[in-house]
Amino acid sequence: MSTESIDQLVLAISNIAHVEKPCLENLLTIKKLEIAKEPVDKENYDAEKKVIMWENTIRDLNNWTLTWALLKLTCGLQQEKERSVEGLKKAKLLVIETSEKVQEEKDKIHEVEVLNEKYAVEYRTLQKYREDVSLLLDEVVKDETVFKSQIDELKEKSIKLFENIQKLEKVKDLIKEADNSLLEAILELRASTSKETLMAEGKIYFPEVAFACLKEARALYPELPGFKSPTDYVNESDNTGAYYSPMQKYLWDVRKRLAELTSWCAEEALVVLEEETQTQIQLGRKVDEYNLERRRLLKELM
């Protein structure tokens, strides 16, 4: 048989194989930037929720003012309202500041994506050429050289690394869901002081959604570190001037622990992503070496 088609594909591969490394490394950079953006997204989300919190507080205070106006008991309420208005201003400023940070991170990602567009197109072409030449060679050369076993090992390694990355992403999603449910619980407790009052002394209000998510995360990724429950209550304001009850503060402190878990997952993911990228680069090179060797054997048989 003629090897013209195989020769043409091998030549085409050699002409664009150089794009593989920069393309995959740029994809890795994009993923790193996306991971770096996650805590910024959280800051923005928290700021938006604090705007809602202060808006609800002001609305409730206005209702109290109307109720107690005739009894001339509005002095303390008025001071609280002024403090809440100031807190709302701070929260809205935080939304603006964190939104700008989010956009900065998006711009960084977009910059690398644009840079990688040409590489990505050529890399897809490279993958297609490799697939085509491998199929052609499979039909005529059934060679089980050391290259084949090395390729199989790299493929297996890549699959395992990818599965690990997916697990870490799922764990981060579960932690995020738990974190969001804790924030909603804090807002709920602030909106209804009776809920805390009705709870037995020493009891902690912990959302079932958060508990279920953390339980699933640990089952999915046993290596996930544990954390100690917060024990000390410090009566201090947040970055908008808001104060929280001991139970609310406890939930805020748990959220800080969850942020640490998310950071741990991010660090783990970065290590695995780096290894997976290098594995893909090695795999591509090894496939090319394997196909060149098979083409050589084919020419010897002709």
Side-chain angles (χ1 to χ4, degrees):
M1 65 166 286
S2 171
T3 63
E4 183 179 354
S5 295
I6 293 173
D7 291 340
Q8 288 176 348
L9 284 167
V10 168
L11 178 61
I13 289 170
S14 67
N15 287 335
I16 60 172
H18 65 278
V19 306
E20 182 166 47
K21 189 172 186 290
C23 179
L24 292 177
E25 288 180 346
N26 282 336
L27 291 175
L28 175 61
T29 298
I30 290 169
K31 191 60 185 176
K32 287 179 177 179
L33 290 171
E34 288 173 344
I35 290 174
K37 178 174 168 286
E38 290 170 358
V40 182
D41 287 333
K42 183 178 181 297
E43 287 181 12
N44 182 242
Y45 179 79
D46 285 3
E48 290 174 344
K49 287 296 184 180
K50 286 180 180 180
V51 167
I52 295 172
M53 178 187 75
W54 282 118
E55 287 175 342
N56 290 341
T57 299
I58 291 171
R59 182 199 62 215
D60 293 342
L61 288 171
N62 284 335
N63 290 337
W64 273 97
T65 302
L66 290 172
T67 302
W68 294 99
L70 295 177
L71 296 178
K72 298 181 180 180
L73 295 175
T74 60
C75 181
L77 289 173
Q78 183 60 31
Q79 291 177 346
E80 186 62 24
K81 183 179 177 181
E82 290 172 359
R83 192 179 71 83
S84 298
V85 168
E86 184 62 28
L88 179 59
K89 288 180 182 177
K90 290 180 180 179
K92 286 182 175 179
L93 281 174
L94 275 177
V95 170
I96 295 172
E97 291 172 4
T98 54
S99 295
E100 290 174 351
K101 289 182 181 179
V102 169
Q103 188 57 52
E104 287 173 4
E105 296 302 318
K106 286 182 178 179
D107 291 343
K108 290 177 186 177
I109 294 169
H110 181 66
E111 184 179 343
V112 182
E113 287 175 337
V114 171
L115 177 67
N116 203 44
E117 282 178 356
K118 185 174 182 296
Y119 287 133
V121 171
E122 292 183 335
Y123 180 57
R124 286 193 293 271
T125 301
L126 173 62
Q127 289 177 305
K128 183 65 169 62
Y129 287 166
R130 278 177 177 157
E131 181 182 345
D132 290 345
V133 76
S134 293
L135 289 173
L136 288 173
L137 287 166
D138 286 345
E139 293 176 359
V140 292
V141 182
K142 304 296 183 182
D143 179 60
E144 294 295 328
T145 64
V146 66
F147 289 114
K148 184 67 168 61
S149 62
Q150 290 173 341
I151 288 171
D152 290 341
E153 288 175 8
L154 286 169
K155 285 181 178 179
E156 186 177 349
K157 180 181 179 181
S158 180
I159 290 170
K160 288 181 179 179
L161 289 169
F162 184 73
E163 288 175 348
N164 205 20
I165 292 168
Q166 287 185 311
K167 280 185 181 181
L168 285 165
E169 287 296 325
K170 176 63 175 175
V171 168
K172 284 200 297 180
D173 287 342
L174 288 166
I175 293 173
K176 181 179 179 180
E177 187 177 350
D179 180 74
N180 289 345
S181 72
L182 290 174
L183 183 53
E184 292 297 334
I186 292 169
L187 297 179
E188 184 182 345
L189 290 171
R190 282 183 66 85
S192 177
T193 54
S194 61
K195 188 157 191 171
E196 284 191 52
T197 305
L198 292 173
M199 292 187 69
E201 186 177 350
K203 293 290 184 180
I204 296 295
Y205 176 60
F206 199 88
E208 290 183 11
V209 171
F211 179 81
C213 286
L214 293 176
K215 183 179 180 181
E216 184 179 349
R218 295 196 181 285
L220 184 63
Y221 209 85
E223 299 90 343
L224 191 67
F227 63 86
K228 293 181 180 179
S229 295
T231 54
D232 298 327
Y233 170 65
V234 180
N235 187 26
E236 58 185 7
S237 63
D238 68 7
N239 53 2
T240 65
Y243 287 87
Y244 301 94
S245 70
M247 190 176 295
Q248 295 163 20
K249 188 66 167 54
Y250 171 85
L251 295 179
W252 272 115
D253 289 342
V254 172
R255 292 189 75 222
K256 291 178 182 177
R257 305 293 197 278
L258 295 188
E260 292 171 1
L261 283 187
T262 301
S263 295
W264 184 89
C265 289
E267 291 297 323
E268 284 283 299
L270 288 173
V271 172
V272 181
L273 283 164
E274 187 82 47
E275 189 175 358
E276 205 274 335
T277 297
Q278 295 306 316
T279 300
Q280 284 297 318
I281 293 171
Q282 292 172 25
L283 178 59
R285 290 172 178 169
K286 194 61 64 176
V287 168
D288 291 343
E289 289 177 14
Y290 177 48
N291 285 334
L292 284 173
E293 174 64 13
R294 292 201 292 172
R295 186 184 69 155
R296 184 188 67 77
L297 292 172
L298 176 60
K299 286 183 178 295
E300 286 183 357
L301 295 172
M302 292 180 63

